[in-house]
Amino acid sequence: MDIKQMCINASDAAIRMAALDTETKNNALARIALALLENKDKIIEANNADLKRSEEEKLASPLLKRLKFDEKKINDVVEGIKSLIGLVDPVGKTMLSTMLDDGLELYKVTCPIGIIGIIFESRPDALVQISTLCLKSGNSVLLKGGREAKETNRVLADIIEEASVAAGLPKGWINLLESREDVNEMLKMDKYIDLIIPRGSNEFVRYIMDNSKIPVMGHADGICHVYVDKEADLDMAIKVAVDSKTQYVAVCNAAETLLVNEAIAEKFLPALKAEFDKKNVEIFGDEGTQKIIESKPASEADWATEYLDYTISIKIVADVDEAIKHINTYGSGHTDSIITSNKENALKFMNLVDSGNVFWNASTRFCDGYRYGFGAEVGISTSKLHARGPVGLDGLTSYKYKLIGDGHIVDDYATKKKSFKHIKINKSIE
Amino acid sequence: MDIKQMCINASDAAIRMAALDTETKNNALARIALALLENKDKIIEANNADLKRSEEEKLASPLLKRLKFDEKKINDVVEGIKSLIGLVDPVGKTMLSTMLDDGLELYKVTCPIGIIGIIFESRPDALVQISTLCLKSGNSVLLKGGREAKETNRVLADIIEEASVAAGLPKGWINLLESREDVNEMLKMDKYIDLIIPRGSNEFVRYIMDNSKIPVMGHADGICHVYVDKEADLDMAIKVAVDSKTQYVAVCNAAETLLVNEAIAEKFLPALKAEFDKKNVEIFGDEGTQKIIESKPASEADWATEYLDYTISIKIVADVDEAIKHINTYGSGHTDSIITSNKENALKFMNLVDSGNVFWNASTRFCDGYRYGFGAEVGISTSKLHARGPVGLDGLTSYKYKLIGDGHIVDDYATKKKSFKHIKINKSIE
């Protein structure tokens, strides 16, 4: 099917998706969960074919690991769907209601966005997770997974489509793209597609952002900082710095740069290095750092580098203001943490660092939809428009204003025959 | 000053703007209001120079009228500033607060977006209105007004800058661009500018959207519909249709197409035409309409045309579903109204029409920030991301997540030493 036709179908389906009641959506989710369990063998068989082909094509072993979709992973995504069923429907919530005048009532009500395009790499669980999030939020979805997972993705998409359509969802709400050319076509469909969510490497996300007029939700770099203030508890600072850097290095919320207040650097850095050494963390330091601990010289480029590895850059700063300035200059607006017992500095840091997630005495690794209690995560956004930070179901909705009158016309107000009352009424359309 | 340097200054100022308390911002607004009154003569003098030059340059008379900025207009913008002072500060509001675990608290708090670029045509009141909205929401702003108003805009921007900086605002928060080349430079500053708000003609907005990677908030076309259902009160339908079309034809929320249910067309259309004739409304009708009333033949292009004049297109449809389909195909997602006494059809229409504003028995002309009770309006957005519909102060804010811990690390949760509690706590950071 050509992509434009796919978009037209998805668009027709989107109108009907927007009108689904919560029960229908939850029933569809339950049937999808059941169908995934019932078709376990078929899924694993398809995944084995993907694994075999990818091994032959010498796919790197971390990627092979992410590609693997076994019984445990199937059970995990089914658990995910069950918890999604338990979440409040994000559509149809009344955010505001005002009586503009007698008999003229305004309601601001959440609604789906429409059509979401998702492009993700390797992990097939992303397909299940994201398509079910789109279902619950009433959106149509175009999905493109990695080539390496194509058999698995095909089987998963078919299962989800069949089970959901049997439960009353409109055909066309879920669509799987299969080629790179399809993606390039999709990026041109700004007339139909409302939002693109890319999940993958920096270069990949940047390519999408640079090659489409469709709004993109996500993040390219994740250059996260930990700033150790003068009044930090140094044991705490070491613990948080080590966790932020090493708890899982290949992810966007891992710290890449450590900023250290000059007043405590001589005491702090050697103790920190001892811990980093245990984890084989390579250090690039500024001049001051190099005088205190053994480290490679950091260049300007290091401050803007996302290592995604057991590597960190360290810079000594005069005070919280210099730390804030550094972060706002080199950071990516993702997640930054201050370690201090000085409340004034902490509040200043959290107010002035221009990032979606600003922490006080906590590891940057906490930036995550599940940890935040959102139940499910579409991704993490570094944009300041629409959704920012970890994006859950709410990030897949928009809203519309519904105005209910009794033949009201503006001329009556323009000519002062009537005037507005603007009284909050706190109710929903019944 | 070159535009990049202007952006750097605005960026430095934005950090400080984000930290201003409400009192400082309101004081600054009060001083601006006072300074505008004190400098009344200077403003009128500059405006007279603009008017004189524009008359010589044969500026069209409606534009001359919009350019005029006399004592009444000055009093109007001062009143606007006074009511803005009375509005709740949109920054620093806690939208969500959760205890993730003992001693680990997450807060979702509103904050300014950062730097807003505003491009507007002719009316100098827009400069005052928009810059004070940016002030109240803590944003830096780059402004570019129409060439015809350049003297007035220069004087107004100087007064606003001087009064606000004297009240403690950071220099650089407000910046006036003076040439077309400056605008083209500004459109390239996606590294600094977070949002562009264009206010002007369709072509103008479309040019901005097509020539910048910066997100744009606003609308190009405003193709609004009134659908008269089978079960409409026909007197009400005539009243609302006439108001929607003729109350003010040159604006985005005026109706451009009327959809009429076939069951009532023969009775309704002649009565409607009698009213439209009184206002000299020209009618383009589909075949069915032409059989009932005298009208010019409507072509496919008419359904997608924003006349902004005493002109309307009329189409006969079989039912509410056809009306919805027509609106979702040819509309611009702005404002659409159904006239009916059938609640089921009304709810269906409001749920399925994919527009920011969907009305039942009310004129499309109600779509407006002041009429909605928002107190002030940045513009009307037809985007489904970020702000939709009439955009008030809230549309100039983003939010960030603030997490406050006591040395919490993720490793404790990954290794199951601790587990999340996720308890809503309903409090703010104090």
Side-chain angles (χ1 to χ4, degrees), chain B residues 196-259:
Chain B
I196 297 266
I197 305 178
R199 306 227 305 192
S201 68
N202 305 357
E203 298 71 33
F204 171 73
V205 174
R206 226 172 266 290
Y207 173 83
I208 305 293
M209 288 176 169
D210 289 345
N211 286 281
S212 183
K213 289 171 69 177
I214 306 170
V216 173
M217 183 160 78
H219 63 276
D221 294 319
I223 300 173
C224 303
H225 301 75
V226 175
Y227 165 58
V228 184
D229 196 28
K230 186 162 77 173
E231 291 162 68
D233 171 329
L234 297 189
D235 289 336
M236 181 196 288
I238 288 170
K239 199 172 72 161
V240 171
V242 169
D243 192 78
S244 297
K245 177 67 260 181
T246 70
Q247 203 274 327
Y248 189 8
V249 297
V251 287
C252 60
N253 59 13
E256 306 296 355
T257 298
L258 190 71
L259 302 169

Side-chain angles (χ1 to χ4, degrees), chain A residues 343 351 353 384 402 430, chain B residues 113 343 351 400 402 430:
Chain A
K343 184 173 177 178
N351 279 334
V353 167
K384 288 195 268 182
K402 299 182 178 183
E430 282 310 326
Chain B
I113 291 178
K343 184 173 178 178
N351 279 334
K400 52 167 74 170
K402 299 183 177 182
E430 278 313 325

Side-chain angles (χ1 to χ4, degrees), chain A residues 113 243 343 350-351 353 356 358 360-361 371 384 388 398-403 405 407 410-411 422 430, chain B residues 113 243 343 350-351 353 356 358 360-361 371 384 388 399-403 405 407 410-411 422 430:
Chain A
I113 291 178
D243 192 79
K343 184 173 177 178
M350 290 194 288
N351 279 334
V353 167
V358 282
W360 177 15
N361 291 343
R371 290 176 199 136
K384 288 195 268 182
R388 192 181 197 193
S398 179
Y399 56 81
K400 51 167 75 170
Y401 290 99
K402 299 182 178 183
L403 180 67
V410 163
D411 196 56
H422 293 140
E430 282 310 326
Chain B
I113 291 178
D243 192 78
K343 184 173 178 178
M350 290 194 289
N351 279 334
V353 167
V358 282
W360 176 17
N361 291 343
R371 291 178 198 135
K384 288 195 269 181
R388 192 183 198 192
Y399 56 81
K400 52 167 74 170
Y401 289 98
K402 299 183 177 182
L403 180 68
V410 163
D411 196 56
H422 293 139
E430 278 313 325

